[in-house]
Amino acid sequence: MAEATTPLMVDLDPATVPLEDIDVSQRELWSQNKKYPFFKRLRDEAPVHYCKDSEFGPYWSVTRFEDIMEVEQNWQSFSSDPTIVIQDPEEDFELPMFIAMDPPKHDEQRKTVQGVVAPRNLQNLEGTIRSRVQTILDDLPVGEQFNWVDRVSIELTTQMLATLFDFPFEDRRKLTRWSDVATGGPETGIVESEEQRREELYECLEYFTRLWQEREGTEEGIDLISMLAHGDATKNMDPQEYLGNLVLLIVGGNDTTRNSITGGVIALNENPGEYAKLRNNPKVIPNMVSEIIRWVTPLAHMRRTAVKDYVLNGQQIKAGDKLVMWYASGNRDERAIDRPDEFIIDRARARQHLSFGFGIHRCMGNRLAEMQLRILWEEIQKRFHKIEMVGEPERIPSNFVHGFSDLQVVLHPH
Amino acid sequence: MVKITYIEHDGTQHQIDAEVGTTVMNAALDNLVPGIDADCGGECSCATCHVMVDKTWMPKVGSPSDAEESMLDLNPERVENSRLSCQIPVTDELDGLVVNLPEFQF
């Protein structure tokens, strides 16, 4: 007799599946984009929901905007240590990074590097970003099919990241690879085995250690490596902690905006009326950028671990419990957002979304992300009447990185 | 109604009438004063409604709570009279309040 296995959510009807059987962490829900009706059911009937068994062990799902905000604000009860993803860290391969720390250490390390992506510094980057965007767009084939993810989304975010690290430009695709490897284990097909994953991450560490050594001997520059090597809170990090923080900065600057760039094209294609609005009024771009970031929600969740007992919206959370704040659900919560399933580029209060998180761990690169997207769409509108999506996008089988590996498009110039 | 003046980084002044009971953040949004984003909607959780309170008004406005302090502390451009405007309730006592807006919100 076969062993009982957890039912596959994608095969079930979200309206009738017993609440206690719902497991929104299953990869298939994400790769096939079938999660939203399950989240709606949870928001309506069990907004703080306990899943007793999953690939990642038992966990609570927090699905409403307001409840997510409550967890975000209370770092004293809900710790970011040991990790901020649903999957527990591997015991023999820990990657300490400041996003997965609590105050005071979190604050000290974050303060060391956040200046590089603060608005004052971004002013100086705007010209660089614009000229790189222009080059990328001008090199694209017109009238023939290509993968937008590879040629634009990955290329632009990787160039940006290389700039922030002052990383050798010709080697920049290594950053893309390390970002993918950091968030994807063997089950995603990105690597063959866990050993391979670690090996590649050690190559990353080795490469960056060389850069560190070059820069610690020279005057502090305004790149992230130099800032880490000179900062009081970070200069004595051990190698694993250096690797952890590198992974944080690489993934934070790469996997996120990459998917907002792709997701925006998809959303506009699915909503031709909104695309028309954009053509008629390019001034809407900054607002559209916020709406794209909400709509896409490039990181689907953040996880916390309760360090004390707490009653959250009527549910008794125990110290040690794992909570998953599903931003992908909170950003579709009809209690907080008007017509949340619709993509509306001139939406009122578009900035009030969860994609950057809230509280002390709020995304520190938010202004850089918005700037890259704004410049990209300004330059796209100057060149192209339409970026036509041909065929369905290929989605990443992950409940954390909420994005796309392939989007075939054809460009139509003005 | 109490009068509040917001001064943009470039010196542009906006004097508005605010209702008692609202916040300095909401009064700005309701009167279309630019320069305040308020991404979290007044929850003290994003620090994008940062203002610098005119120093003569600091005694009446008061100092930030611990929660506000933890958000302000992460802003590299935070100064002594920095406050999050969503955490300043409008009261009769604040009639004539002057706040300066930063060049950038974070």
Side-chain angles (χ1 to χ4, degrees):
Chain A
M1 197 172 125
E3 265 181 67
T5 50
T6 319
L8 259 188
M9 290 296 114
V10 283
D11 298 334
L12 301 174
D13 178 357
T16 57
V17 56
L19 277 174
E20 64 267 26
D21 288 346
I22 293 182
D23 173 11
V24 284
S25 75
Q26 291 182 6
R27 283 170 221 290
E28 296 80 4
L29 279 180
W30 298 86
S31 60
Q32 298 176 34
N33 195 26
K34 288 185 173 168
K35 69 273 182 186
Y36 288 121
F38 290 91
F39 278 126
K40 178 160 173 46
R41 177 98 188 277
L42 290 186
R43 284 197 304 275
D44 289 346
E45 296 178 33
V48 179
H49 169 265
Y50 191 67
C51 174
K52 59 186 182 306
D53 186 31
S54 81
E55 183 189 340
F56 312 99
Y59 66 94
W60 291 95
S61 282
V62 186
T63 51
R64 284 188 190 170
F65 192 105
E66 199 179 285
D67 294 336
I68 291 173
M69 185 72 95
E70 186 172 338
V71 175
E72 296 265 36
Q73 288 168 336
N74 193 342
W75 55 265
Q76 294 92 339
S77 301
F78 303 111
S79 173
S80 292
D81 182 27
T83 182
I84 48 83
V85 292
I86 189 170
Q87 183 155 22
D88 293 323
E90 302 136 50
E91 278 178 16
D92 56 341
F93 190 72
E94 283 189 32
L95 283 175
M97 53 181 90
F98 68 81
I99 196 175
M101 294 174 188
D102 298 320
K105 201 173 174 189
H106 158 268
D107 299 17
E108 291 158 8
Q109 293 201 355
R110 173 176 169 139
K111 283 188 206 167
T112 303
V113 289
Q114 69 182 6
V116 77
V117 284
R120 191 165 301 284
N121 197 35
L122 293 184
Q123 274 185 314
N124 308 323
L125 283 174
E126 173 146 2
T128 310
I129 298 179
R130 191 174 296 277
S131 68
R132 290 196 175 150
V133 167
Q134 289 166 341
T135 306
I136 290 172
L137 294 179
D138 289 341
D139 284 350
L140 295 174
V142 167
E144 64 182 75
Q145 192 174 323
F146 68 93
N147 181 5
W148 178 264
V149 175
D150 185 58
R151 295 290 299 268
V152 181
S153 311
I154 289 180
E155 190 52 34
L156 176 58
T157 48
T158 302
Q159 287 192 13
M160 199 58 246
L161 202 55
T163 305
L164 293 179
F165 280 124
D166 195 12
F167 188 89
F169 210 61
E170 63 286 2
D171 278 350
R172 65 185 182 277
R173 283 280 170 146
K174 286 184 192 290
L175 294 168
T176 320
R177 174 69 190 164
W178 292 327
S179 182
D180 290 344
V181 169
T183 55
E187 65 289 339
T188 61
I190 287 165
V191 289
E192 305 265 306
S193 64
E194 184 53 35
E195 290 68 42
Q196 187 198 344
R197 177 170 173 269
R198 291 185 192 187
E199 226 167 85
E200 292 201 36
L201 287 177
Y202 279 128
E203 279 169 36
C204 169
L205 176 61
E206 220 170 277
Y207 197 110
F208 272 101
T209 301
R210 280 205 308 279
L211 297 181
W212 174 292
Q213 285 161 350
E214 281 166 27
R215 286 169 206 182
E216 70 178 340
T218 56
E219 214 167 291
E220 183 174 349
I222 52 154
D223 67 273
L224 289 165
I225 307 302
S226 181
M227 286 170 141
L228 289 171
H230 289 268
D232 284 335
T234 48
K235 65 184 178 196
N236 296 317
M237 287 187 294
D238 65 44
Q240 209 68 14
E241 190 170 0
Y242 182 38
L243 179 59
N245 278 314
L246 287 170
V247 164
L248 167 60
L249 296 169
I250 293 172
V251 173
N254 205 32
D255 261 331
T256 51
T257 306
R258 179 203 297 185
N259 292 313
S260 296
I261 291 174
T262 309
V265 173
I266 298 169
L268 287 167
N269 271 271
E270 289 175 347
N271 298 273
E274 299 303 300
Y275 211 152
K277 270 190 209 167
L278 168 64
R279 276 186 214 108
N280 294 332
N281 179 21
K283 287 206 177 79
V284 77
I285 288 175
N287 205 74
M288 178 182 83
V289 163
S290 291
E291 176 67 346
I292 287 174
I293 295 169
R294 177 191 76 90
W295 176 258
V296 175
T297 316
L299 294 180
H301 79 259
M302 285 282 161
R303 167 252 182 100
R304 298 289 184 262
T305 307
V307 290
K308 41 184 103 156
D309 292 359
Y310 189 95
V311 178
L312 180 66
N313 196 354
Q315 298 297 313
Q316 179 65 59
I317 312 288
K318 293 278 186 196
D321 285 358
K322 182 193 293 196
L323 286 90
V324 180
M325 300 181 285
W326 293 105
Y327 293 162
S329 172
N331 272 339
R332 301 289 173 106
D333 182 359
E334 35 299 272
R335 292 153 197 82
I337 293 166
D338 187 35
R339 295 188 285 162
D341 289 326
E342 294 176 41
F343 176 73
I344 306 170
I345 65 173
D346 52 356
R347 165 187 292 285
R349 300 189 300 128
R351 301 190 59 85
Q352 291 182 20
H353 60 71
L354 283 167
S355 300
F356 294 130
F358 284 115
I360 58 168
H361 293 285
R362 183 173 164 82
C363 174
M364 80 179 195
N366 60 340
R367 301 288 170 176
L368 173 62
E370 290 171 352
M371 187 164 114
Q372 287 187 80
L373 288 163
R374 171 176 59 78
I375 294 172
L376 175 68
W377 281 101
E378 286 168 359
E379 295 299 322
I380 288 173
Q381 287 316 102
K382 285 181 198 162
R383 287 164 177 76
F384 306 118
H385 176 73
K386 186 174 184 186
I387 305 164
E388 185 195 358
M389 174 169 117
V390 289
E392 284 302 301
E394 204 172 285
R395 288 168 188 273
I396 298 167
S398 164
N399 58 35
F400 180 64
V401 175
H402 187 201
F404 314 92
S405 50
D406 191 291
L407 178 70
Q408 295 296 318
V409 301
V410 173
L411 297 178
H412 302 279
H414 287 302
Chain B
M1 289 295 215
V2 304
K3 294 224 178 295
I4 303 178
T5 304
Y6 301 81
I7 306 175
E8 289 185 63
H9 182 73
D10 67 3
T12 311
Q13 298 204 2
H14 305 266
Q15 193 184 66
I16 60 110
D17 293 311
E19 270 180 66
V20 170
T22 186
T23 63
V24 173
M25 178 276 277
N26 271 319
L29 294 192
D30 290 346
N31 289 280
L32 305 176
V33 176
I36 287 182
D37 287 329
D39 291 2
C40 75
E43 293 271 349
C44 193
S45 297
C46 69
T48 64
C49 65
H50 176 213
V51 296
M52 286 88 75
V53 176
D54 184 276
K55 287 200 174 132
T56 57
W57 283 92
M58 276 307 275
K60 279 192 178 158
V61 170
S63 48
S65 67
D66 288 351
E68 184 183 338
E69 181 57 40
S70 67
M71 292 305 297
L72 275 174
D73 186 44
L74 294 171
N75 184 337
E77 303 202 349
R78 183 257 169 94
V79 288
E80 199 187 337
N81 51 331
S82 287
R83 288 292 313 266
L84 297 181
S85 55
C86 73
Q87 300 301 303
I88 309 175
V90 173
T91 59
D92 285 322
E93 240 202 328
L94 295 186
D95 194 12
L97 175 69
V98 177
V99 299
N100 296 283
L101 298 167
E103 188 174 3
F104 307 105
Q105 293 290 352
F106 279 77

